[in-house]
Amino acid sequence: MSNLKISDRFVKSFLTETLVQKGLENAEKARQTLLQKTGQGKEFLGWVDLPSQTSSEDLQRIRKAAETIQSHSQYLVVVGIGGSYLGARAVIEALTPEFSAQELHKKSVKIIYAGHHLDADYHSRLLAFLENKEFSVNVISKSGTTTEPAIAFRLLLSLLERKYGRENVKNRVFATTDKQKGALKQLADEYGFPTFIIPDDVGGRYSVLTPVGLLPIAAAGFSINKLIDGAKQMEAELKSKTAFEGNIATTYATIRNSLYASGKKIEILVSYTPALSFVSEWWKQLFGESEGKTTKGIFPASVQFTTDLHSMGQYIQDGERILMETTIKVESPKQDVYLTEKSDDRDGLNYLAGKKLSEVNQSAMLGTLIAHQDGGVPSIEITVPVINEEIIGELLYFFEFACGVSGYMLGVNPFDQPGVEDYKNNMFALLGKKGYEKRKEEILGHI
Ligand code: PA5
């Protein structure tokens, strides 16, 4: 049994029994299509069996590389974009305490991200910062040709060569890429970088449980064995339970698709802990890139409450009624804070004396769920007991599986991303890349 629970108590009044029943039938068909690998994009379904097929030797090799990094580096720069960085960042930020990270994870290195945008100031500051630091680089790119990480890696490699000498760079660079194709693979072979393979049948946004996510997560000091164990548990459950037996992924896919059909075009992922903010970023890519096709798809957005109740709360409560929410509810904090009585009660908070801060947060959550339901915003609740490696592993696999099912229910290929090429082709044309001369003329004619 997995540790995740899903509840539709704040959705029921928005949907009819018949709609949900029909949705469950479609969801079960989609689940079968996914499991039997007969649908669109079937060549990219390696992630479905990934947790159960990850061997202890695979994990050991990743842990050993992480230990090497930890033995000589203060910093690991993770170079990647989209699916090649968001998963690792989601897990690392969810598990890293905001304060005293170094004390709690003595063996870990601090993770820095690069190559996920093209901002000159960020990269020049990063290079200056690393000048007198001990650091390694994990460059991650399945295609091995993506412009943003390729530029960042070129800059970092030059710095590494200058600091450590070309012959020593191979102890500091770890490449995660395709087994044979791409410029990064060629570079890795030439320099002799240790290489980790991204399987052919796993696309970027479904790759967090491959070395793409696992190496940075291990280097940050977290247990990749526990993460995979959690995912494995979820894999077993979602593969064995049908939509009519309470499969939580098909339930989630059914509810969100039914709400979409009834006009709720935007889904907001809500969390009440800042630790999950990058899980939301990862989730947005997963669902946005998987479903936003052929002019269809729920637009994935995210907020963090109660922070954003003071900025986005007004719109959500009273604005256009096109919103649905999915709230991730964490049952217990790792460590609670107790509120005590004060003799003067100048701040008027003595009524909270004896309560835990988590109780206040839970009341804010329940109050919001009720208010949003009353205001016309249905909320799906996903409850996890606590945030740790196993639970995050369960959560990631749950969302991946639900996304595959949901995309098939919508009638799109959830495993391609043809739309992301357009900006790249225009950028190449504008930058004068060979072969793009005609496009340059065409696009400049548009402005
Ligand atoms: O999910 C995806 O496919 C994308 O987000 C890619 O991961 C992203 O574009 C980076 O691609 P690559 O790993 O080839 O550099």
Side-chain angles (χ1 to χ4, degrees):
M1 264 291 270
S2 80
N3 287 293
L4 265 62
K5 285 184 259 163
I6 188 162
S7 165
D8 64 354
R9 66 183 166 149
F10 292 108
V11 169
K12 277 192 170 131
S13 60
F14 294 85
L15 297 173
T16 64
E17 268 296 312
T18 329
L19 201 63
V20 173
Q21 197 50 37
K22 188 135 188 39
L24 284 176
E25 282 162 23
N26 288 338
E28 183 54 24
K29 272 192 214 139
R31 190 181 79 95
Q32 291 301 335
T33 306
L34 193 71
L35 293 179
Q36 288 158 17
K37 306 194 175 171
T38 51
Q40 294 185 74
K42 57 182 187 284
E43 61 282 23
F44 291 109
L45 289 177
W47 60 270
V48 174
D49 312 310
L50 201 59
S52 59
Q53 287 186 0
T54 302
S55 67
S56 49
E57 290 75 37
D58 295 334
L59 295 178
Q60 201 184 348
R61 181 167 176 251
I62 294 170
R63 281 201 315 271
K64 272 198 94 60
E67 279 164 20
T68 304
I69 295 167
Q70 289 164 351
S71 70
H72 58 42
S73 296
Q74 299 165 276
Y75 293 90
L76 172 67
V77 188
V78 172
V79 177
I81 194 166
S84 286
Y85 109 101
L86 279 168
R89 190 161 186 179
V91 177
I92 292 166
E93 301 220 349
L95 297 172
T96 305
E98 293 81 355
F99 312 103
S100 40
Q102 294 308 324
E103 265 169 53
L104 290 174
H105 296 283
K106 286 209 169 61
K107 267 178 63 192
S108 67
V109 292
K110 194 152 176 24
I111 309 295
I112 297 178
Y113 302 91
H116 53 302
H117 53 70
L118 293 163
D119 183 55
D121 281 334
Y122 180 97
H123 287 92
S124 68
R125 283 194 289 259
L126 174 65
L127 293 170
F129 174 78
L130 291 171
E131 189 74 42
N132 59 358
K133 308 282 186 310
E134 294 295 332
F135 75 99
S136 296
V137 172
N138 180 197
V139 53
I140 309 168
S141 177
K142 187 172 185 196
S143 63
T145 55
T146 307
T147 309
E148 290 89 339
I151 290 177
F153 184 54
R154 176 183 274 225
L155 298 169
L156 288 160
L157 186 58
S158 300
L159 176 58
L160 283 168
E161 287 188 274
R162 192 156 48 73
K163 266 176 81 95
Y164 302 108
R166 190 186 153 112
E167 65 289 357
N168 296 319
V169 160
K170 62 178 178 301
N171 305 320
R172 300 262 170 186
V173 176
F174 299 78
T176 306
T177 189
D178 185 84
K179 65 176 180 307
Q180 54 192 28
K181 300 190 298 280
L184 178 57
K185 172 66 183 149
Q186 276 173 26
L187 211 57
D189 289 346
E190 224 172 88
Y191 275 79
F193 305 146
T195 304
F196 292 87
I197 290 166
I198 310 175
D200 285 346
D201 55 0
V202 180
R205 60 191 174 275
Y206 293 85
S207 69
V208 55
L209 299 172
T210 72
V212 168
L214 297 178
L215 179 54
I217 293 166
F222 301 109
S223 168
I224 53 174
N225 289 57
K226 288 183 183 168
L227 187 82
I228 292 290
D229 282 349
K232 212 190 278 184
Q233 193 162 323
M234 185 56 79
E235 177 191 334
E237 176 166 324
L238 300 182
K239 281 181 170 176
S240 63
K241 266 192 188 167
T242 70
F244 311 106
E245 294 167 330
N247 181 308
I248 53 174
T250 48
T251 302
Y252 177 50
T254 299
I255 299 174
R256 62 196 295 286
N257 274 292
S258 307
L259 290 170
Y260 178 59
S262 70
K264 305 296 186 192
K265 306 279 186 205
I266 297 173
E267 179 180 9
I268 309 173
L269 192 71
V270 183
S271 70
Y272 282 75
T273 164
L276 293 179
S277 64
F278 261 87
V279 169
S280 298
E281 295 305 312
W282 170 84
W283 172 90
K284 284 195 283 196
Q285 187 207 353
L286 180 67
F287 279 87
E289 218 169 72
S290 298
E291 293 192 321
K293 282 160 205 174
T294 60
T295 70
K296 290 194 269 196
I298 299 167
F299 182 82
S302 68
V303 288
Q304 195 198 294
F305 288 165
T306 59
T307 312
D308 292 330
L309 284 171
H310 299 261
S311 60
M312 300 300 289
Q314 174 59 38
Y315 188 103
I316 298 171
Q317 188 67 44
D318 277 343
E320 201 170 348
R321 302 298 70 196
I322 48 175
L323 307 176
M324 65 174 107
E325 283 179 337
T326 294
T327 298
I328 302 183
K329 178 172 165 186
V330 182
E331 269 173 336
S332 318
K334 289 206 183 78
Q335 202 168 2
D336 224 320
V337 173
Y338 289 83
L339 300 168
T340 52
E341 195 162 279
K342 264 190 118 191
S343 56
D344 56 19
D345 196 27
R346 286 236 173 75
D347 53 14
L349 290 179
N350 270 356
Y351 79 103
L352 295 177
K355 288 199 192 304
K356 295 181 269 187
L357 192 52
S358 64
E359 281 178 74
V360 181
N361 207 16
Q362 300 285 358
S363 298
M365 187 185 308
L366 185 58
T368 306
L369 288 164
I370 295 168
H372 287 179
Q373 173 180 250
D374 294 346
V377 179
S379 298
I380 305 165
E381 285 171 282
I382 293 170
T383 304
V384 300
V386 69
I387 300 176
N388 62 28
E389 286 97 328
E390 283 102 333
I391 301 295
I392 296 287
E394 288 187 31
L395 193 64
L396 296 175
Y397 188 88
F398 159 75
F399 276 134
E400 288 180 354
F401 197 96
C403 186
V405 168
S406 197
Y408 280 154
M409 288 176 79
L410 190 68
V412 299
N413 176 354
F415 308 110
D416 66 357
Q417 54 283 330
V420 301
E421 294 310 313
D422 292 351
Y423 99 88
K424 290 186 197 167
N425 291 332
N426 288 348
M427 176 178 76
F428 294 148
L430 293 169
L431 289 169
K433 190 169 178 177
K434 209 160 171 256
Y436 290 81
E437 297 79 4
K438 193 156 175 287
R439 189 168 182 114
K440 184 170 182 179
E441 267 172 45
E442 280 166 15
I443 61 172
L444 288 180
H446 291 175
I447 52 174

